[in-house]
Amino acid sequence: GAVVSQHPSWVICKSGTSVKIECRSLDFQATTMFWYRQFPKQSLMLMATSNEGSKATYEQGVEKDKFLINHASLTLSTLTVTSAHPEDSSFYICSAPGQVLKREQFFGPGTRLTVL
Amino acid sequence: AQSVTQPDIHITVSEGASLELRCNYSYGATPYLFWYVQSPGQGLQLLLKYFSGDTLVQGIKGFEAEFKRSQSSFNLRKPSVHWSDAAEYFCAVVIMDTGRRALTFGSGTRLQVQP
């Protein structure tokens, strides 16, 4: 099956710094990717939809200026958490859809962000 | 707005016992339904999915799920649980009639398996 990778798998940073998380589709092209956030012992919540060649679409309540998304190519989307604070500590997961008719989603392994 | 409900936050079963995890969705349109499992420190793994046709679907690791339109449910079952099944289970939905392709997840059910 299709593989989605994320880098880094975990990151610890100081409050006020910015962190970039990469999401790559390894063996297929993805014009759209999704970014989810999962707080401890909670479900995955969609943050934004990343679109290659255009602006990302953010879910209600998600700060666009804080969570910068860039879909640089058909295989790469990046999420940058700007001026991170402890409340941004979470598990960030990306996914890429597969064939339209199958409504498949291929998930990355996630990135654990801890902001001190 | 679409929603998925998993009524059970935490379930404990004995190894070898049967398992049923509940999932209900609230939509009028036909959904695509999924069950994912997330083990500690690992990513999401797709167990099974329902799009159309036979309402009883078979998945990996011996899991199955049954779609019941009249009850708006898609419960996950396994006849005999193994200790390695201990994990977090998420039901998710995509609505066919919308252009939205992102998944909406339920709150999850944590499964604990007793020896």
Side-chain angles (χ1 to χ4, degrees):
Chain A
V3 178
V4 175
S5 69
Q6 280 184 244
H7 178 80
S9 55
W10 58 270
V11 56
I12 301 173
C13 69
K14 294 182 178 180
S15 185
T17 61
S18 294
V19 175
K20 179 185 285 188
I21 302 170
E22 293 185 348
C23 177
R24 293 181 184 272
S25 55
L26 296 186
D27 49 2
F28 67 105
Q29 294 182 337
T31 57
T32 299
M33 291 184 177
F34 302 107
W35 287 96
Y36 296 85
R37 179 168 53 186
Q38 184 182 27
F39 290 110
K41 298 185 179 181
Q42 294 188 28
S43 187
L44 285 79
M45 299 299 294
L46 180 67
M47 298 176 64
T49 301
S50 172
N51 303 299
E52 192 270 336
S54 64
K55 292 182 179 180
T57 304
Y58 291 82
E59 296 299 296
Q60 190 173 7
V62 177
E63 299 176 59
K64 301 179 182 181
D65 295 333
K66 182 164 190 64
F67 298 100
L68 300 180
I69 291 174
N70 181 27
H71 201 130
S73 72
L74 289 174
T75 59
L76 173 64
S77 175
T78 60
L79 169 68
T80 301
V81 183
T82 63
S83 186
H85 291 282
E87 58 266 29
D88 299 323
S89 298
S90 188
F91 195 51
Y92 292 87
I93 304 171
C94 71
S95 74
Q99 298 181 34
V100 174
L101 292 179
K102 291 187 177 182
R103 299 279 182 167
E104 296 172 316
Q105 290 277 334
F106 301 105
F107 285 86
T111 296
R112 173 79 56 196
L113 170 62
T114 301
V115 184
L116 302 176
Chain B
Q2 57 190 43
S3 70
V4 181
T5 303
Q6 292 181 246
D8 305 304
I9 297 174
H10 185 207
I11 285 182
T12 301
V13 299
S14 299
E15 189 168 17
S18 63
L19 170 71
E20 182 170 29
L21 303 182
R22 296 183 291 167
C23 172
N24 293 93
Y25 64 94
S26 59
Y27 282 105
T30 303
Y32 280 157
L33 295 157
F34 305 81
W35 274 100
Y36 286 88
V37 60
Q38 185 181 40
S39 299
Q42 297 188 22
L44 289 167
Q45 182 179 24
L46 178 66
L47 289 175
L48 47 78
K49 57 189 177 185
Y50 172 77
F51 298 148
S52 64
D54 192 349
T55 56
L56 183 64
V57 293
Q58 302 296 322
I60 62 171
K61 301 184 178 184
F63 285 93
E64 66 177 27
E66 186 172 12
F67 172 62
K68 293 185 177 180
R69 185 184 300 276
S70 60
Q71 299 177 19
S72 296
S73 69
F74 188 57
N75 294 348
L76 181 71
R77 300 194 294 249
K78 186 169 185 177
S80 178
V81 171
H82 188 261
W83 64 265
S84 61
D85 293 324
E88 187 87 20
Y89 290 81
F90 293 98
C91 181
V93 63
V94 171
I95 299 303
M96 291 174 56
D97 296 343
T98 69
R100 184 180 176 89
R101 299 181 68 188
L103 291 165
T104 297
F105 287 87
S107 54
T109 298
R110 181 167 297 277
L111 173 66
Q112 186 174 358
V113 180
Q114 290 182 332

